Amino acid sequence: MSVHVTDDRILGDVIERHRTLYDGPEIEAKLKYIIRDGPQSKLSDWDIHRLLRTARCMYFDTHVEMVSGHHTATYLRFESIARIPQLIRLIARDMADWIRLTFQHDPITGIVATMSAAELLAEGVADILHDKMRLRVTLTPYSPETGKIGTEIRTGAIRTGERFVALNDVTTRGNCISKLGKVITDHGGILAGMMVFARRDSGQFPLLQELVRQYPFYYAADLDMPQWEPDQCPLCRAQQPLLSWKEMPEF
């Protein structure tokens, strides 16, 4: 099994390789290969393609351990999108359109998100819908060291019978977005739907598939990103250096 590396030379090689990739023509085919339609979004494959390329947020052919503990060769760094206000606004506008259409006959009260880059999306959606639908944004704790989310919220932020959607930046297995949904129901609220910018999986996680079937579920980008348990990881068997999600830099 591979072990984590923090070698500056290896990180430097990764950065330089991706700078070259994004500055050349090969990135077009790389992005096109992983992007699938997001059926709830008005953003086209072309829109997602340009967004990912502009943000330079996708890593390819790199051995990364994700928050879940799974390993992948293709990694999405949402923080690279979050640093560009125009892209956050583009995604938030599409999310707002989905909320307006999905809940026009049964309005929601607010959004539950994490104190992470997802907060930018939640606040952006609430701002866009302000004149038509007043939404309360309720935030749960987030640890940038572990990538884990908490369940504590402000007292009275959710009242019995109020309808909320859960929002996160990305989902892989469905665990975090499900946890946000449980925050809503544990405080007497009704989980009306779920939203993420991207699903980054290959359809191999049953919980995520179940959530998509059970709730109105928005995602703009559906990214084909195969992942493996460490003991089944082909990159580990090939002894490729393993980087943590926390180490993935901007470039």
Side-chain angles (χ1 to χ4, degrees):
M1 181 182 297
S2 297
V3 296
H4 287 121
V5 298
T6 53
D7 189 316
D8 289 343
R9 179 182 57 81
I10 292 174
L11 286 173
D13 288 345
V14 169
I15 292 171
E16 187 57 35
R17 176 163 56 85
H18 281 83
R19 282 178 178 159
T20 300
L21 175 65
Y22 277 86
D23 287 339
E26 292 183 9
I27 187 61
E28 302 296 332
K30 287 276 193 184
L31 290 172
K32 184 177 181 180
Y33 182 77
I34 65 167
I35 297 172
R36 301 175 293 207
D37 270 336
Q40 306 295 345
S41 173
K42 292 182 180 178
L43 297 176
S44 66
D45 286 0
W46 185 89
D47 293 324
I48 298 300
H49 187 288
R50 304 313 296 177
L51 186 156
L52 298 179
R53 178 165 185 172
T54 298
R56 298 189 169 209
C57 60
M58 295 300 310
Y59 283 86
F60 296 95
D61 305 313
T62 305
H63 189 188
V64 182
E65 181 181 55
M66 305 178 75
V67 173
S68 65
H70 290 81
H71 293 191
T72 184
T74 309
Y75 183 71
L76 166 64
R77 185 181 188 274
F78 186 78
E79 290 78 5
S80 295
I81 297 174
R83 66 185 170 84
I84 305 177
Q86 297 92 327
L87 298 184
I88 288 295
R89 186 73 175 177
L90 176 68
I91 300 165
R93 187 178 298 114
D94 193 60
M95 287 181 161
D97 284 344
W98 181 79
I99 287 178
R100 190 162 35 226
L101 291 172
T102 304
F103 303 110
Q104 58 183 327
H105 300 303
D106 199 358
I108 60 173
T109 303
I111 300 169
V112 173
T114 65
M115 293 178 186
S116 64
E119 180 179 351
L120 298 176
L121 291 175
E123 295 288 357
V125 169
D127 180 61
I128 291 166
L129 292 175
H130 182 266
D131 292 338
K132 298 183 180 297
M133 189 184 298
R134 298 290 182 93
L135 298 180
R136 295 203 309 268
V137 175
T138 297
L139 301 174
T140 70
Y142 170 79
S143 169
E145 294 301 317
T146 64
K148 305 298 183 183
I149 67 173
T151 58
E152 303 84 6
I153 60 171
R154 180 174 50 83
T155 301
I158 299 174
R159 294 185 281 270
T160 300
E162 291 183 327
R163 291 164 50 80
F164 279 76
V165 297
L167 184 153
N168 206 7
D169 46 14
V170 297
T171 189
T172 304
R173 298 177 298 168
N175 286 8
C176 287
I177 194 70
S178 179
K179 193 172 183 179
L180 290 174
K182 193 170 185 300
V183 169
I184 296 169
T185 56
D186 282 352
H187 287 82
I190 297 170
L191 176 56
M194 295 181 167
M195 308 181 75
V196 294
F197 163 65
R199 355 175 357 173
R200 49 181 188 185
D201 67 306
S202 292
Q204 73 268 46
F205 298 113
L207 174 59
L208 182 54
Q209 303 284 39
E210 179 184 337
L211 294 174
V212 170
R213 288 193 300 266
Q214 187 175 358
Y215 298 99
F217 202 118
Y218 166 97
Y219 47 92
D222 187 4
L223 305 178
D224 188 6
M225 295 172 53
Q227 295 155 53
W228 310 279
E229 296 284 356
D231 60 357
Q232 299 173 350
C233 175
L235 304 174
C236 285
R237 290 197 294 270
Q239 298 186 334
Q240 292 191 23
L242 176 62
L243 299 171
S244 168
W245 62 274
K246 293 183 291 185
E247 299 168 321
M248 304 308 291
E250 291 184 12
F251 56 88

